[in-house]
Structure formats: structure tokens, C-alpha cells
Amino acid sequence: MTARGGLARLLLDMLADVRGADRAMLAALSDAEWEVIGDMAKQHRLASLLHRQMAGRGSDWPVPETLKARWARGWLAAAARALAMQQALGEVGALAGREGLDYAALKGAWLAWQAYPQPALRPMRDIDLLLGEADAVRLYAAMIAAGAVPGPVSHTPIDYARAHHKHLPPLHWGPQKVAFELHWRLTNPVPGEDRDAVAATTAGLLARGVRAKAGPVEIAYLDPTDTLLHLVVHAAYGRQPFDTGPQVLCDLAAAIDTAAIDWPRFWADAAAQGRTGGARLLFALMAKYMGARVVDDPDPVPLPERLVAAAEALMLQDMGARAERGFATQIAEAEGKRGKAAFAWGRAFPPRHIVAHYAGVPVDSWRVWPAYPVRMADHGWRWLVQRGGDAMDAEVADMRAMRRWLGTGG
């Protein structure tokens, strides 16, 4: 285990409801080690959860005062942000209603206002809404007409997003610039898929949706059973498993505690999508840190300890090295020399809008072209700096093992 890995497990114990962080180990940490813990907490938006712990079971932990103050400020910022996001969600939900568009707010919005005791405990970077594909485009246009704006430089063309992504480019709403992502599907496209089947899946999700109050207004959400499976897929089956961080363990516990889950449908849908392994692994981690819940698994199987340990490490992976770790993992999985060369070429010469995003310029600017070699040199240097380090090698090994077990990588 790397030094970072040991600190990651200590931080998980600090977040846990049923495990106690070792006070002696906390007291023995150096200032530099506390800074690593503080950085991990910042990367994975854990300030609110840690502030809550400091007011309860962690009240006697020897945490540096600077970190306590940082987490308290994080809690206050999350509370203020939650109010702005609640208002924005109500306004955009009302706009969708006036346009006659069915929608469902996805995981974070439901968790913040329906599952957690306080919305600040579930920080969100943005608000995700699910609609049919044509309706997503219509709401996108309606939001722009109502004053929503893209980011400072809008990069991804809508047609490209519809072909390659699961949501349209983000829009910022209102004076607080709350970001919205309009999805028409819950996972990214894959070659050869049946898009009509994808559309039918989205229609089924919307038809099962529920409505509940978020403050003074009623909002449409995914059904809790669908939300629970979406949490599993989002956490375990992305390009880099578990890079959403340990908040998901609290999310799962809060969802199960709050809602009536249709467990036979959950496991049937998970099996149909090939997601039962990720669900069992996440539920095992939830039980270890947040306490066991009844999940009515029809075919429980023991999980290898090494797999659980890898998931724990990946939950607090260094997000500052995300691009380099992803490159190392994917090029290692590419088949043969030609496959590796094709992958490297695609990363060196991506579509124009990706380089525009890197350079911070409009996609039609002439400055995109000189940004290609600058971006290539920058990424190459970061790769050389990161590659070969014990932490990076350990994370790549964990990532590849996890992707093989989940069936998402070679």
C-alpha cells in the first residue's frame, strides 16, 4: 500500500458511521500528511460530511484547526449553494412544464432534497435533468431564450454531443450561474448500439418518475429504484471506476434508508445491464463504512478482499492526475501495437473543440491550431512527471484490475 493509500483509508474511517478513526494514528500524522488528507477531501467535495463528523463522533479527533475551519467554511458554502440550486431547479422545472416537456432530475438533486437531512450534506457541481432527446434540445433552446448562457467559451457542438455524449453542453442559469446538463440517456453511446432502444429506455425511466417537493416547488425525479441503480452505474462503470469519490457510500445509505426500493426490479435491471458486480461491491463498501442495509440480493457471493481494497483506494484517487491515469490505463488496454498507436494518435489530435477547451478560446478561433502542439507538449510533460511514480503505478494497476472484474476493460 502506498503512503497515500494508507491516508485514504484513514479518511474513509473518518467519514464512516460504523468504523472509528484511530485516534492515535490521527495524532501521529505530520502536517504534510494532514495536507494530503485535506487535499483529498477538497478534490472529492467531502468538507460538509467531515464538518458534520467533527460536530459528532469526531469531536475529539486531533484535527488541525486550519482543517476544521476549512471544512466549516465548506459547509457554509455548500448550504448557500444549495439554496441557489434549489431556486434554479424550480425555475427550470417550471420552464420545462410551460414547454410541455417531461423531465426527471437525476441523482444529486433527489438525494439533496429527498434523502439527506440537509441539502448541504450532498454538494453538487451541477444539476442533471433527463429528457427525451428531442425534448432535451427544445429545453436547451428554451433555457437560452430565457437567459441561460454557455460557459465562458462554449466548445462541444450540439451535433457532436448528440453523437458522442450523454448530455448537451452545460448551460449556466441565473445570477448564481447554476450549471445544468440536459441528458437524454444515462450512459455514453457505444458503437453499434440500438438508439431506438436507448430512447425507449429513457421513455420508460420518465414514465416511472415521481414528483416531490424541493422547498416550495414540486420537482420531477427518477423513481428511487432507478436512481439507486443509476448511482451504481455512475460510480462503478465510468471510464475510471470509483472516481466519483466516497460520497457515493453515503448516497447509497441515504437512498436505501429514505425510499422504498423495489429490490426484485433493481436486481433484475442490474442483471440485464451487466451491473450486478458493481452493485455488490458498492453495497459491500457501504456496509463496511456506513452499516449494513437489507438489499435482498438474490445471489450473494463473497467478494475478494483485494478487490474491496482496490475500490477503497480508487475512491480517493488523485484527481489531479486523472488524465494521465486514464491515458496509462487505456493505452495498456489497447490491443497490439496498432491499437496503441491509434489510441495515442487520437489523444494527440482530438477534435478541434477539445483543443479549444484546453486553450480557452472559441472553437472557430485561429488560435486553436497553435494550441495543438502546446497541448501535446503540456500533456507529454505531465505524463513524464507522473509516469513511473509509485502512486500512479498503483492506481493504474488497481484501475485495470477493477475494470477487468467489472467487464469494462481488458
Side-chain angles (χ1 to χ4, degrees), residues 233-361:
V233 174
H234 190 257
Y237 291 91
R239 289 189 178 92
Q240 298 194 35
F242 301 105
D243 65 352
T244 54
Q247 178 93 43
V248 69
L249 303 182
C250 303
D251 289 350
L252 295 171
I256 293 169
D257 290 346
T258 300
I261 304 298
D262 182 344
W263 288 111
R265 177 159 69 84
F266 173 89
W267 287 109
D269 288 350
Q273 297 175 31
R275 312 302 196 193
T276 54
R280 290 188 176 109
L281 181 52
L282 280 164
F283 290 158
L285 288 164
M286 175 190 69
K288 180 175 179 178
Y289 289 99
M290 302 299 154
R293 269 69 172 173
V294 175
V295 297
D296 290 345
D297 187 344
D299 187 25
V301 293
L303 296 170
E305 277 300 315
R306 59 172 180 77
L307 196 71
V308 175
E312 290 170 333
L314 291 172
M315 278 190 170
L316 285 164
Q317 58 193 264
D318 182 5
M319 298 305 287
R322 189 174 190 273
E324 291 76 23
R325 182 174 51 250
F327 180 84
T329 301
Q330 289 177 278
I331 201 166
E333 292 177 349
E335 294 185 6
K337 292 181 179 179
R338 287 188 177 182
K340 294 182 190 301
F343 175 76
W345 180 266
R347 291 294 293 266
F349 299 99
R352 183 184 176 99
H353 69 269
I354 293 176
V355 182
H357 177 78
Y358 166 82
V361 300

Side-chain angles (χ1 to χ4, degrees), residues 11-19 21 46-61 71 121 250 289-290:
L11 179 53
L12 286 172
D13 285 343
M14 293 174 69
L15 292 166
D17 285 341
V18 295
R19 291 170 62 88
L46 302 173
S48 291
L49 291 172
L50 289 163
H51 176 69
R52 179 188 63 174
Q53 296 293 72
M54 297 303 301
R57 66 199 312 264
S59 59
D60 66 339
W61 291 342
W71 294 339
L121 291 172
C250 303
Y289 289 99
M290 302 299 154

Side-chain angles (χ1 to χ4, degrees), residues 2-332:
T2 64
R4 181 186 173 90
L7 294 174
R9 283 165 177 75
L10 189 56
L11 179 53
L12 286 172
D13 285 343
M14 293 174 69
L15 292 166
D17 285 341
V18 295
R19 291 170 62 88
D22 188 315
R23 198 179 188 287
M25 290 182 66
L26 294 176
L29 294 177
S30 67
D31 290 344
E33 288 170 324
W34 275 117
E35 275 303 308
V36 173
I37 286 178
D39 185 56
M40 285 190 285
K42 180 180 179 180
Q43 286 187 347
H44 294 280
R45 298 177 293 161
L46 302 173
S48 291
L49 291 172
L50 289 163
H51 176 69
R52 179 188 63 174
Q53 296 293 72
M54 297 303 301
R57 66 199 312 264
S59 59
D60 66 339
W61 291 342
V63 177
E65 292 299 322
T66 53
L67 269 187
K68 290 182 183 179
R70 186 190 304 176
W71 294 339
R73 290 193 301 271
W75 162 263
L76 292 174
R81 188 64 174 167
L83 289 174
M85 297 189 94
Q86 177 184 297
Q87 180 178 349
L89 177 57
E91 292 169 352
V92 173
L95 176 61
R98 291 194 298 273
E99 295 289 324
L101 306 175
D102 290 334
Y103 75 93
L106 299 181
K107 52 190 187 302
W110 181 81
L111 289 161
W113 288 291
Q114 308 303 325
Y116 279 86
Q118 296 166 301
L121 291 172
R122 202 349 176 129
M124 293 181 287
R125 290 190 180 93
D126 52 35
I127 296 175
D128 297 332
L129 303 180
L130 179 69
L131 304 95
E133 185 172 356
D135 287 352
V137 175
R138 284 182 57 195
L139 182 56
Y140 192 89
M143 288 177 68
I144 289 177
V149 294
V153 181
S154 183
H155 302 100
T156 307
I158 288 180
D159 288 345
Y160 186 94
R162 293 176 72 175
H164 299 281
H165 299 320
K166 58 187 175 182
H167 59 76
L168 296 175
L171 287 176
H172 293 175
W173 178 269
Q176 298 297 318
K177 299 189 182 304
V178 174
F180 280 80
E181 290 185 349
L182 305 184
H183 294 241
W184 61 89
R185 55 187 300 153
L186 297 184
T187 57
N188 283 318
V190 295
E193 70 180 2
D194 183 344
R195 289 183 72 93
D196 289 338
V198 172
T201 297
T202 296
L205 290 166
L206 293 172
R208 289 193 297 272
V210 298
R211 299 188 71 86
K213 286 286 188 72
V217 298
E218 194 173 69
I219 299 297
Y221 298 101
L222 282 191
D223 165 82
T225 302
D226 292 325
T227 293
L228 189 67
L229 183 54
H230 181 36
L231 286 170
V232 167
V233 174
H234 190 257
Y237 291 91
R239 289 189 178 92
Q240 298 194 35
F242 301 105
D243 65 352
T244 54
Q247 178 93 43
V248 69
L249 303 182
C250 303
D251 289 350
L252 295 171
I256 293 169
D257 290 346
T258 300
I261 304 298
D262 182 344
W263 288 111
R265 177 159 69 84
F266 173 89
W267 287 109
D269 288 350
Q273 297 175 31
R275 312 302 196 193
T276 54
R280 290 188 176 109
L281 181 52
L282 280 164
F283 290 158
L285 288 164
M286 175 190 69
K288 180 175 179 178
Y289 289 99
M290 302 299 154
R293 269 69 172 173
V294 175
V295 297
D296 290 345
D297 187 344
D299 187 25
V301 293
L303 296 170
E305 277 300 315
R306 59 172 180 77
L307 196 71
V308 175
E312 290 170 333
L314 291 172
M315 278 190 170
L316 285 164
Q317 58 193 264
D318 182 5
M319 298 305 287
R322 189 174 190 273
E324 291 76 23
R325 182 174 51 250
F327 180 84
T329 301
Q330 289 177 278
I331 201 166

